[in-house]
Amino acid sequence: MNIGIVGMGLIGGSLAKAYRGGGHTVYAYDTDDAILGFAVLSGAANGVLDDNTIGLCDAVLIAVNPGDAVRYLESAAKNIAENTIVFDCCGIKRFVCERCFPIAKQHGFTFVGGHPMAGSHKAGFKNSRANLFKGETMVIVPPVYDDASLFGKIEELLKPVGFGRLSVTTAKQHDEIIAFSSQMAHIVSNAYIKSPTARGHKGLSAGSYKDLTRVARLNADMWAELCTENNDFMIQELDSFIGALSLYRKALLDGDERALKELLEEGSRLKAELDS
């Protein structure tokens, strides 16, 4: 297969390496010429994705921020072949799909919303690896839900990446769940580390601190864009979280050990149920 990859960061670089590892031809694009050149030199890509090579691609995967993904597709659409399927890899789906489905329809190719559910706090092409997505989930938001041949083609195109499963959903459902499962985790971690006590933690912290602060180091530009474009569901989650925290605060303020124990037991029980 001929595969186009837009964006040679952690996600795009890992996709490129996975396809190249499977013997497929990869054409890459990045706004940073040095990174693009290194991707080609290192063997992660066979050549540059441009106006000529994009028409050769069976699939194009766009792994950049949402606004950049839309702008790229707008500029490249006229050169994309009708039998090509274009996926985005952004962390929000309503913003991207609402803009990209019409672009694809106008130019006669197929656009599919996508979100590979894997990553790392270590960003950039230098941290990309071919097995990043092995066994992980790829979320799919298709333009239609009743086309068996389309789903067969999607599965075949993504197979070399090594996903454990494809999860089909709507853009709205994706954004609602991802606000809780991903975006909130980053905001909570990022806010938690701002405690004045944080500077004195060394020698007095272990796994709990590491677990909760792992994603506090983040790409601020990307996460600000993702959360702002998903602000309705983010505010809903934040309000729920702040409401829950206020109950813990009240129990501590009142010195009510019994109430605090009940809150802790409730959370522990819910975690066990979700993990079972």
Side-chain angles (χ1 to χ4, degrees), residues 78-254:
K78 63 182 181 296
N79 297 309
I80 298 174
E82 289 187 6
N83 64 340
T84 300
I85 293 184
V86 178
F87 302 86
D88 82 286
C89 298
C90 301
I92 51 171
K93 295 274 70 73
R94 287 176 297 172
F95 173 85
V96 176
C97 291
E98 286 168 6
R99 289 156 180 78
C100 291
F101 283 145
I103 295 171
K105 186 175 181 179
Q106 178 186 349
H107 292 275
F109 59 87
T110 301
F111 175 82
V112 175
H115 186 185
M117 300 302 293
S120 170
H121 62 287
K122 295 181 179 179
F125 180 80
K126 65 181 179 180
N127 292 303
S128 63
R129 61 183 193 274
N131 65 349
L132 180 66
F133 307 107
K134 187 173 178 59
E136 304 293 349
T137 297
M138 175 64 162
V139 178
I140 295 296
V141 178
V144 295
Y145 292 83
D146 58 354
D147 187 341
S149 64
L150 173 61
F151 286 110
K153 189 173 181 182
I154 289 171
E155 188 173 15
E156 187 65 26
L157 288 170
L158 295 176
K159 188 175 181 181
V161 183
F163 292 112
R165 63 177 294 208
L166 301 182
S167 180
V168 181
T169 187
T170 65
K172 180 180 178 182
Q173 184 181 38
H174 169 277
D175 288 358
E176 183 173 17
I177 297 298
I178 219 70
F180 166 74
S181 65
S182 177
Q183 292 165 359
M184 268 293 290
H186 284 78
I187 281 186
V188 170
S189 181
N190 192 266
Y192 171 80
I193 200 65
K194 293 176 182 177
S195 167
T197 315
R199 294 190 181 279
H201 84 87
K202 290 185 178 179
L204 293 168
S205 62
S208 298
Y209 168 82
K210 292 177 181 178
D211 289 345
L212 190 50
T213 60
R214 185 181 66 82
V215 293
R217 293 180 65 178
L218 44 70
N219 180 327
D221 287 338
M222 180 183 78
W223 284 102
E225 182 177 351
L226 291 173
C227 292
T228 301
E229 292 297 347
N230 204 27
N231 63 353
D232 52 348
F233 289 130
M234 282 301 300
I235 291 169
Q236 178 179 296
E237 289 298 331
L238 278 168
D239 286 346
S240 175
F241 185 61
I242 291 168
L245 283 179
S246 69
L247 297 178
Y248 291 84
R249 186 183 189 280
K250 184 178 186 306
L252 289 166
L253 190 64
D254 295 344

